[in-house]
Amino acid sequence: MFSWGRSRSVDDVERYRRGYPGKKDDPEANENLLFYRNELKSKPKGDYVEEIHKKWFGEYRLLERHHGFIQWLFPIREKGMNWESQPLQKFEAKGIREDPKAMKRFVKSYRLMLDFYGMILIDQRTGEVARNTKNYEVQYENLEESSHNWLRVTRILKSLGEMGLEHYKKPLLEHIIREMWRDHLRACLRSLKDYWIPVVKSAEERRSLLAGLKSPPKTETLAENGQGENGNVEGKADRDTKNQGQTQSVNGKGDENPKTVLVEFLRGLLKNPGDESYRALKLDEQDEDTQSALRNCGFVDDGDALRLPIGDKADEGVRLLLAKLDPADKAERTEAREEVAVESKRPTK
């Protein structure tokens, strides 16, 4: 069983949960809205939100040391430590919530920070979170040792609520509790109890989370390495069957077996490495499952497209994903690797 000290900042939490009674909007303060419309750079030493998503994802040293971006990515109605940012106004939050492109950017910001913390969003609809098997050990350690990140998590949770994603809070905190029972993130316990759980607005959900601190969970949620943000998830309590493969779709081929479609797509990419139709895919033509799988095998955001950089390292990521999806294809992949090796040894003219 976990234990903890007395709760703090009760007044701050109450004001947040009650919507900051008496707090009035400044009708001229619209910088958060402009930022999420990609019309204003964050300050200081920041960038447009889409540039941050493209250039800062996975840049853990930068995300750790830069202290002026978090207030822009996750605005709340309180003044933060960055004096070049502004508190969120209610009309701004409404404007962001009602703008599909702005909300898509906000969810990307959430994915960026989850990755920084060693986690991934595996279900954008429910907000379910799992450990990122590629980086969680190092990033969990950083989260435990860098207490300023605990303040960031509090801000993120509050901002989720402001942006209409209140239902994202509980899955994130349930994941953290599961990890604590696995002897991870224990240093965050005080923040979890005194700050993170209290900003959940539902009293019933708060009670459920607190109960999770007193007895180990009956199920676990683990993302399979290389399966992507919507890949296999073992032990999900409300899952009727355990899906042992990718459930992806490519370019709207919904009537076919989704796994077969993705396998054929990846094979085509390896056979036609110079074909731009494989290397660059329009984001608006790919569902979330497909985007997640492709990102995990090397595709990166490039404006309105997902693009796979040319190079052996990127192609190897595709081969690894293909190996997981279709183990029976081993001979074909081995032959392809051998051809690449032979080709590389030929003298150039």
Side-chain angles (χ1 to χ4, degrees):
M1 180 184 294
F2 298 125
S3 61
W4 50 78
R6 288 180 59 84
S7 180
R8 298 175 292 175
S9 299
V10 175
D11 291 342
D12 174 73
V13 167
E14 281 297 318
R15 289 181 66 246
Y16 168 76
R17 292 204 305 239
R18 293 172 59 195
Y20 302 94
K23 190 176 182 64
K24 296 181 179 180
D25 267 7
D26 178 351
E28 296 183 359
N30 66 346
E31 290 189 346
N32 295 298
L33 181 57
L34 293 177
F35 175 72
Y36 264 107
R37 285 178 176 169
N38 207 42
E39 298 174 5
L40 181 70
K41 289 185 178 182
S42 61
K43 299 173 286 187
K45 298 180 180 179
D47 212 330
Y48 294 105
V49 62
E50 290 188 353
E51 292 301 305
I52 290 175
H53 292 156
K54 286 191 290 186
K55 298 176 181 178
W56 296 26
F57 193 96
E59 296 294 333
Y60 303 139
R61 184 183 296 271
L62 172 62
L63 294 171
E64 176 64 31
R65 295 183 176 182
H66 196 302
H67 299 291
F69 75 92
I70 196 72
Q71 297 85 0
W72 292 88
L73 291 187
F74 299 96
I76 59 176
R77 297 181 65 201
E78 305 166 26
K79 189 64 181 177
M81 297 300 292
N82 179 2
W83 298 106
E84 296 190 56
S85 65
Q86 65 155 67
L88 179 70
Q89 309 299 307
K90 289 181 69 174
F91 79 89
E92 289 185 299
K94 183 175 184 292
I96 294 171
R97 291 194 303 267
E98 294 178 352
D99 184 335
K101 290 184 178 180
M103 280 303 299
K104 186 175 181 180
R105 293 178 186 121
F106 183 80
V107 173
K108 279 191 176 182
S109 296
Y110 185 51
R111 291 182 187 274
L112 181 147
M113 289 306 293
L114 285 178
D115 177 75
F116 175 58
Y117 294 140
M119 307 172 195
I120 53 175
L121 180 66
I122 61 174
D123 191 326
Q124 185 169 320
R125 181 180 61 84
T126 66
E128 186 176 1
V129 171
R131 65 168 56 163
N132 185 338
T133 56
K134 295 181 179 180
N135 72 351
Y136 81 94
E137 292 180 325
V138 173
Q139 296 311 118
Y140 276 11
E141 183 178 352
N142 182 70
L143 179 55
E144 288 198 272
E145 294 178 352
S146 302
S147 58
H148 73 97
N149 278 302
W150 308 346
L151 298 174
R152 288 176 168 182
V153 173
T154 304
R155 169 177 282 272
I156 290 169
L157 289 166
K158 289 181 176 180
S159 191
L160 288 171
E162 300 290 359
M163 299 304 171
L165 296 174
E166 179 71 22
H167 63 288
Y168 273 27
K169 295 179 183 179
K170 188 168 183 277
L172 172 59
L173 298 179
E174 285 177 330
H175 170 70
I176 292 173
I177 291 170
R178 282 194 299 270
E179 295 297 67
M180 286 183 174
W181 282 104
R182 298 172 178 173
D183 292 325
H184 297 295
L185 305 177
R186 289 292 189 98
C188 305
L189 179 59
R190 185 73 176 267
S191 289
L192 174 70
K193 171 58 176 64
D194 290 351
Y195 296 100
W196 301 347
I197 292 177
V199 300
V200 174
K201 293 182 179 179
S202 166
E204 181 180 353
E205 290 185 352
R206 293 197 300 273
R207 287 192 293 268
S208 173
L209 290 165
L210 289 171
L213 291 171
K214 298 179 181 179
S215 59
K218 295 180 181 179
T219 60
E220 294 182 342
T221 302
L222 282 173
E224 292 288 337
N225 192 10
Q227 291 295 308
E229 292 178 320
N230 290 84
N232 289 345
V233 181
E234 296 295 329
K236 185 178 179 183
D238 60 352
R239 181 158 296 183
D240 295 329
T241 58
K242 292 185 177 180
N243 177 9
Q244 296 300 320
Q246 289 286 101
T247 55
Q248 313 294 345
S249 62
V250 177
N251 294 329
K253 299 178 181 179
D255 294 335
E256 302 180 48
N257 182 300
K259 176 181 173 182
T260 301
V261 172
L262 183 59
V263 167
E264 292 304 315
F265 172 80
L266 295 174
R267 286 176 177 170
L269 189 152
L270 292 176
K271 291 178 180 179
N272 304 278
D275 190 335
E276 189 69 11
S277 66
Y278 288 105
R279 289 276 169 186
L281 301 168
K282 290 184 178 180
L283 280 170
D284 58 8
E285 293 181 359
Q286 314 305 320
D287 62 24
E288 288 293 330
D289 290 355
T290 304
Q291 291 182 33
S292 299
L294 295 175
R295 284 191 182 94
N296 270 270
C297 69
F299 280 78
V300 296
D301 287 335
D302 182 18
D304 294 329
L306 281 172
R307 183 178 298 277
L308 182 68
I310 294 176
D312 293 342
K313 183 177 181 181
D315 289 346
E316 184 60 26
V318 174
R319 292 190 182 95
L320 290 173
L321 178 57
L322 189 56
K324 285 183 173 293
L325 291 172
D326 190 10
D329 199 36
K330 182 177 181 180
E332 181 176 334
R333 292 190 303 276
T334 301
E335 182 180 349
R337 285 196 295 269
E338 290 175 350
E339 290 178 358
V340 171
V342 171
E343 186 68 26
S344 65
K345 293 179 181 178
R346 290 178 181 173
T348 57
K349 294 182 179 180

